[in-house]
Amino acid sequence: MTPVVVIPTYCEAANVTAVLDGVLAASPDCDVLVVDDNSPDGTAARVRSHPQFRLRVHLLERPGKGGLGAAYRAGFAWALEAGYDAVVQMDADLSHPPDRLPALLEALDMADVAIGSRYVRGGAVRDWPLRRRLISWAGNVYVRLVLGLPVRDATAGFKAFRREALLRIDVLDSVSNGYCFQIENTWRASRAGLAVTEVPITFSDRGLGESKMSSAIVREALLRVVVWRWRELTGATTAVSGPPATEPVGRHDAVA
Ligand SMILES: Nc1nc2c(ncn2[C@@H]2O[C@H](COP(=O)(O)OP(=O)(O)OP(=O)(O)O)[C@@H](O)[C@H]2O)c(=O)[nH]1
Ligand SMILES: [Mg+2]
């Protein structure tokens, strides 16, 4: 299985080289795709100057800041087109530990989607002030209750998908822009009946650079979650088309 790690960046010049080095060292089979939205701080130039550029490190440049969801959709489309069997999504700010990549990818032997989870046994959050912890905890409770998701970390952003899983959840048709994108795909995977597993990770606060989190991003998530549930209850929509899967969609490949 050849995996690719998709990393969206906006003004991550201070972090991007370290995250690339971390990923390449942690998982010798992995390629990396950075999706940069014309960062004014020269993030793309740092990627181009990486010794593995055009070998294991690739760069997709977009004309301007279009949101995390749109960047991931562009990156996933590139990865699917390129034929990768597994796709990992990961932040560039070193909040997601590259050394958990092998565990995440290994989990895809038995599951369609593997979530790097802060809230299962063995998972943790490091360096976050109490206020951030409470917001994250409350956000998770809200999402899990409203959408009824059977996972502990419903807002996680460090995830691995089997190729078939991305196709199954119609990921390119997802609609969220901000961090709601994370929730949307977990919801789509759950509703499609995919096998979703959680792998413990220790999440660290970003050390360098600025957060892109905003009240608009939080509002988008609060609102969309309620609208999705409302539409489900009124029969107006389902997350994905087609019947639910009864076993991991990629399982046969995994054991073959
Ligand atoms: N390409 C692209 N990347 C983005 C955009 N917004 C955020 N990102 C990247 O998405 C990842 C997550 O963004 P963060 O600002 O760390 O947001 P967060 O992790 O939800 O919030 P913090 O906990 O405050 O760090 C980082 O790698 C960002 O550089 C965007 O509009 N375009
Ligand atoms: Mg972050």
Side-chain angles (χ1 to χ4, degrees):
M1 186 159 73
T2 308
V4 63
V5 180
V6 178
I7 304 178
T9 54
Y10 191 75
C11 290
E12 301 286 3
N15 294 312
V16 74
T17 305
V19 79
L20 289 175
D21 290 344
V23 167
L24 298 181
S27 189
D29 301 333
C30 266
D31 288 348
V32 188
L33 174 71
V34 175
V35 185
D36 186 66
D37 279 6
N38 202 11
S39 299
D41 72 343
T43 303
R46 295 278 170 101
V47 176
R48 270 187 233 103
S49 65
H50 193 280
Q52 286 293 323
F53 182 59
R54 292 210 174 112
L55 299 169
R56 293 177 62 199
V57 172
H58 305 276
L59 175 65
L60 181 62
E61 294 187 82
R62 302 184 342 127
K65 188 170 183 340
L68 173 138
Y72 267 128
R73 275 187 288 276
F76 286 176
W78 182 96
L80 290 170
E81 173 77 25
Y84 288 98
D85 308 315
V87 182
V88 179
Q89 57 166 96
M90 185 177 183
D91 288 356
D93 56 2
L94 295 167
S95 286
H96 300 148
D99 62 3
R100 293 300 285 156
L101 260 175
L104 213 57
L105 290 168
E106 218 176 282
L108 290 186
D109 285 349
M110 298 300 288
D112 299 310
V113 182
I115 298 177
S117 178
R118 298 160 289 185
Y119 303 128
V120 289
R121 184 190 292 271
V125 173
R126 203 164 55 195
D127 310 329
W128 257 4
L130 186 63
R131 193 172 152 273
R132 272 311 287 270
R133 281 173 199 266
L134 285 174
I135 292 172
S136 172
W137 177 82
N140 248 294
V141 170
Y142 170 80
V143 169
R144 286 169 53 206
L145 284 182
V146 174
L147 289 177
L149 294 181
V151 299
R152 305 286 307 174
D153 197 343
T155 58
F158 188 27
K159 292 198 281 227
F161 299 86
R162 296 187 67 92
R163 171 189 183 81
E164 300 85 352
L166 284 180
L167 296 171
R168 179 67 177 239
I169 66 172
D170 292 331
V171 73
L172 302 184
D173 291 334
S174 63
V175 292
S176 306
N177 284 324
Y179 97 125
C180 189
F181 179 79
Q182 325 293 16
I183 303 167
E184 181 173 7
N185 290 329
T186 300
W187 171 61
R188 283 171 174 254
S190 165
R191 293 303 191 265
L194 298 186
V196 179
T197 191
E198 289 182 90
V199 173
I201 64 154
T202 298
F203 177 101
S204 311
D205 198 6
R206 69 157 61 238
L208 301 167
E210 307 243 320
S211 172
K212 281 98 216 169
M213 184 63 85
S214 67
S215 53
I217 286 175
V218 175
R219 269 202 308 279
E220 182 197 16
L222 291 174
L223 199 70
R224 280 200 195 278
V225 163
V226 171
V227 169
W228 288 332
R229 188 62 184 143
W230 174 255
R231 287 188 184 156
E232 279 185 338
L233 290 172
T234 58
T237 190
T238 52
V240 284
S241 50
T246 51
E247 60 183 82
V249 291
R251 185 78 172 268
H252 303 300
D253 294 340
V255 294

